[in-house]
Amino acid sequence: GGPSLFQKTLKMSSFLGMFSRSKTFKPQKNFKNDTARFSLHKKAQATLGAVDLHAAVALPDGEDLNEWLAVNVVEFFNTASLIYGTISEHCTDASCPVMSAGPKYLYLWQDGAAYKKPTEVSAPMYIDLLMTWIEEQLSDETMFPSDAAVPFPKDFMKRVKNIFKRLFRVYAHVYHCHFREVQSLGAEAHLNTCFRHFFMFVREYDLMASADLEPLQELIDNRGLDQ
């Protein structure tokens, strides 16, 4: 079999090491423009800033759900990376010694590898570990097979949910701990639009438990995102 749609349109070779300690967060968008996956990628990109996000997040007619999820994992990963990049110079080991979303929510890092038990780390360390963890999954042949004849793994949805649950924590940290910096940059509207798109996609495909959304539930309610 030939390469999968995902593999054709996304070059995985440059993933690892993309996020360095220097906080130069750069999105990964190496799509080839002659493939079906590129078409899905363009549809996903076209939803950014869309007025009708209900329609924008819906599975395009005739498309495979796993393919749509795979493309959007990359898009939301890119977006969260860029958003964090805008305030990363203000997120240091000194200013953010733990990964939190206000005083009530503390996130511990665990990946089953270097961190076998939930471990308290600084916010910049947590987000660096998170982005590397996602990159490694995107380049994992068992999760995103390069051969079109090989199906997505049976636990693909479970893995996608775990990625979205952790990406949400980037938004939660930015809103609770760095919103003043976002406002000073004039980026509040952009942040709100990106989070609304993220939330609508999560809700459309039931990707997160309501308890995991609690750190930003007030924002969701106040802005009518749950309508």
Side-chain angles (χ1 to χ4, degrees):
S4 68
L5 288 176
F6 188 86
Q7 197 69 16
K8 284 186 199 173
T9 56
L10 191 61
K11 296 177 184 176
M12 297 297 184
S13 60
S14 62
F15 261 38
L16 299 182
M18 192 170 66
F19 293 89
S20 68
R21 291 288 171 203
S22 65
K23 298 290 192 302
T24 51
F25 282 72
K26 297 178 182 179
Q28 166 69 24
K29 286 184 180 174
N30 292 324
F31 288 90
K32 295 179 182 178
N33 62 11
D34 59 347
T35 61
R37 174 77 64 156
F38 180 78
S39 175
L40 271 185
H41 158 67
K42 296 306 289 184
K43 288 177 182 176
Q45 281 209 314
T47 67
L48 294 176
V51 175
D52 185 2
L53 282 175
H54 291 280
V57 300
L59 180 67
D61 290 342
E63 299 294 352
D64 177 72
L65 174 59
N66 285 343
E67 292 280 356
W68 184 236
L69 290 172
V71 165
N72 278 280
V73 165
V74 176
E75 295 299 329
F76 287 114
F77 167 69
N78 286 342
T79 302
S81 303
L82 288 170
I83 286 172
Y84 181 70
T86 64
I87 56 86
S88 60
E89 66 183 282
H90 303 287
C91 185
T92 66
D93 293 341
S95 68
C96 303
V98 296
M99 178 62 174
S100 65
K104 291 173 61 179
Y105 301 97
L106 173 68
Y107 298 119
L108 305 179
W109 182 255
Q110 181 180 19
D111 54 23
Y115 295 83
K116 297 187 185 301
K117 296 181 179 180
T119 305
E120 186 176 295
V121 296
S122 69
M125 171 69 82
Y126 186 102
I127 292 172
D128 185 55
L129 289 166
L130 170 59
M131 296 307 185
T132 300
W133 175 78
I134 295 175
E135 290 169 353
E136 289 172 349
Q137 291 186 76
L138 291 173
S139 60
D140 185 346
E141 286 288 314
T142 66
M143 186 167 180
F144 293 98
S146 60
D147 190 334
V150 179
F152 285 93
K154 291 182 179 180
D155 65 346
F156 184 68
M157 178 62 86
K158 178 182 177 182
R159 297 189 192 200
V160 166
K161 285 183 176 182
N162 205 17
I163 289 173
F164 274 88
K165 180 175 75 172
R166 288 183 165 186
L167 276 178
F168 169 86
R169 296 171 182 177
V170 177
Y171 282 104
H173 181 70
V174 170
Y175 270 111
H176 279 280
C177 303
H178 298 290
F179 193 62
R180 186 174 298 174
E181 289 92 341
V182 171
Q183 288 179 309
S184 70
L185 291 168
E188 179 180 353
H190 180 65
L191 172 63
N192 289 339
T193 298
C194 291
F195 177 68
R196 181 168 182 259
H197 186 195
F198 178 92
F199 172 76
M200 296 286 282
F201 193 86
V202 161
R203 191 181 65 171
E204 178 77 10
Y205 301 102
D206 194 23
L207 299 176
M208 288 179 62
S210 57
D212 291 322
L213 291 166
E214 283 181 5
L216 292 181
Q217 192 60 54
E218 186 177 345
L219 174 73
I220 291 168
D221 292 341
N222 289 346
R223 297 191 177 277
L225 301 189
D226 213 6
Q227 301 301 313

